[in-house]
Amino acid sequence: CRDNNNHWLQPVRDGRPTPKSPLMRKQPYHDRNDTSTDSKKSSVGGDDCETGKWRHKLEFLKEMIVGVDLILVVIAASVITFGVNQFGNEWLSFISDSKPAIGTLGALFSFALVFRTNICYSRWWEGRVLWGTIIVSSIRVAQQAHLWIKEPALVHRLSCLSIIFAYCCKAQLRGSGLEHETEGGSKLLRKGVISQEELDLISRQSGWQPYYCIDAMRAVVSAGLKADDKQGEWKKNAAQTAMEETICKLADSIGGCIRVKTTGLPVAYDDILNTTAAIFFIAACLAWAPGAGLYNPIIVLIVYIIVKMIIGVGSDLEDPFGHDESDLPLEKFCEEVDRQITAVDERAKLITFDIANGPSTHISAERSSSYSTFPVSSYHQDCGDDYIESGRVSSETEQLIS
């Protein structure tokens, strides 16, 4: 069971909360997927919209870089530099001779840093691939419903559930629920995709919200195939097997996303990385102090900022479902699922002939074996006319594709 805020869904490593470190940055408050601000600026002019985008990027960099730790680094580097230059004359030669060892330590630290970033990127990429499967499979469910389920009400019900499923996945991975005002439940209610009663039911049940949609999809498929007496048993079994395979892909994909969300990097790895970083910066500050002089704190600060940005980007990629600049655009994914499933429903209403055979009265039998399709648009009208004259496609089909 989960509580109302989905606290258990936050990353916990080895039974402990994710450790906080000066190098580990919190998520910024700004949602880059929230286009309300940009839409308002775009209505005024393109320049204001571009200015808003640059301002947003600067705010993101500010969130990533600025912190009290920068002041501490400057103070520590200044103290070490002053101490070496004032009181370290007798062992300056020893510090200068240790530069190769500092270089080796820096190489090991760089390797650990790049290794961590690659692991975080692989988690981001896995989340992207899983969401691609969610998008494709959600649309496929609606397409399969129009092919094998003959009851229009059940077909519409399955299309709505596919849309609801995508929004439930987004809310689940954001640690929220579909009923939350920012997760799309109210928008689906206004569009008639979901009823208030079902929205309340989804919000009250204690399980994962996407799995409610999975159960409902299976119930619709079972009811739709049982209601069709004209299909043979083998055809019903084939249809049910194909649709169950698609629904299983949806379940596996959201399960994989939850796994990526809840399992972070081993806490010991971040502890080792932070310890290595502290040793490297202290040793590097000592080694650079005799040659850099008063510029040493500035050099150390610049290197520290670069390392902090790399670690910050990796921390963002570690959880690709949040609101950071580098996170996946889940709102756009859900909107695209909604748009494409709506297009599937609208296309089914436009078709006035058997799509398997096509408008057979216009296609000659001798051309049926070499029948081919093509994209019809205003740029390819001449090509479309040639295909109509040759009998490969009818004018009715061309209008439908357009």
Side-chain angles (χ1 to χ4, degrees), residues 194-374:
I194 190 174
S195 64
Q196 184 64 54
E197 181 181 3
E198 189 166 31
L199 180 60
D200 294 338
L201 175 61
I202 293 176
S203 61
R204 286 198 309 267
Q205 56 99 30
S206 59
W208 292 342
Q209 292 185 356
Y211 278 84
Y212 167 85
C213 300
I214 294 292
D215 293 340
M217 287 181 187
R218 289 191 170 111
V220 172
V221 171
S222 178
L225 295 178
K226 287 181 180 179
D228 189 5
D229 297 332
K230 296 181 180 180
Q231 296 187 27
E233 288 298 325
W234 69 269
K235 189 175 182 180
K236 289 183 180 181
N237 293 335
Q240 187 168 10
T241 301
M243 299 187 75
E244 177 64 22
E245 180 181 353
T246 305
I247 294 174
C248 284
K249 286 184 179 180
L250 291 174
D252 293 340
S253 297
I254 184 56
C257 289
I258 292 175
R259 172 179 50 79
V260 172
K261 170 73 177 180
T262 54
T263 58
L265 296 177
V267 64
Y269 186 82
D270 280 345
D271 291 341
I272 294 174
L273 182 65
N274 292 329
T275 304
T276 306
I279 296 174
F280 167 74
F281 280 108
I282 294 174
C285 188
L286 289 170
W288 298 339
L294 297 178
Y295 293 102
N296 190 44
I298 299 176
I299 296 175
V300 173
L301 179 63
I302 292 174
V303 176
Y304 179 84
I305 290 176
I306 294 174
V307 172
K308 185 178 180 180
M309 286 192 297
I310 295 175
I311 293 180
V313 170
S315 299
D316 290 345
L317 297 176
E318 186 180 354
D319 178 14
F321 308 117
H323 300 83
D324 289 339
E325 182 73 17
S326 56
D327 286 334
L328 299 174
L330 302 187
E331 282 82 4
K332 294 182 180 179
F333 291 167
C334 294
E335 291 171 0
E336 190 62 31
V337 170
D338 188 355
R339 185 160 43 247
Q340 293 302 320
I341 291 179
T342 302
V344 170
D345 295 339
E346 293 176 351
R347 182 171 65 241
K349 297 177 182 178
L350 292 175
I351 298 176
T352 58
F353 52 84
D354 185 358
I355 193 173
N357 298 317
S360 56
T361 55
H362 301 284
I363 301 178
S364 58
E366 62 272 19
R367 294 287 187 179
S368 60
S369 59
S370 61
Y371 179 83
S372 62
T373 60
F374 61 94

Side-chain angles (χ1 to χ4, degrees), residues 149-208:
I149 298 178
K150 304 304 179 183
E151 182 64 34
L154 294 177
V155 173
H156 177 71
R157 167 68 173 164
L158 196 55
S159 297
C160 292
L161 286 172
S162 300
I163 298 173
I164 297 171
F165 175 80
Y167 280 90
C168 284
C169 291
K170 175 175 71 72
Q172 183 75 37
L173 297 173
R174 294 277 175 84
S176 182
L178 186 62
E179 69 279 2
H180 196 272
E181 58 182 4
T182 62
E183 299 302 341
S186 57
K187 182 176 71 173
L188 297 178
L189 188 62
R190 289 192 302 269
K191 295 178 63 175
V193 177
I194 190 174
S195 64
Q196 184 64 54
E197 181 181 3
E198 189 166 31
L199 180 60
D200 294 338
L201 175 61
I202 293 176
S203 61
R204 286 198 309 267
Q205 56 99 30
S206 59
W208 292 342

Side-chain angles (χ1 to χ4, degrees), residues 70-88:
L70 299 183
I71 301 176
L72 298 177
V73 168
V74 173
I75 294 175
S78 300
V79 171
I80 293 175
T81 302
F82 177 79
V84 169
N85 291 326
Q86 294 296 324
F87 309 105

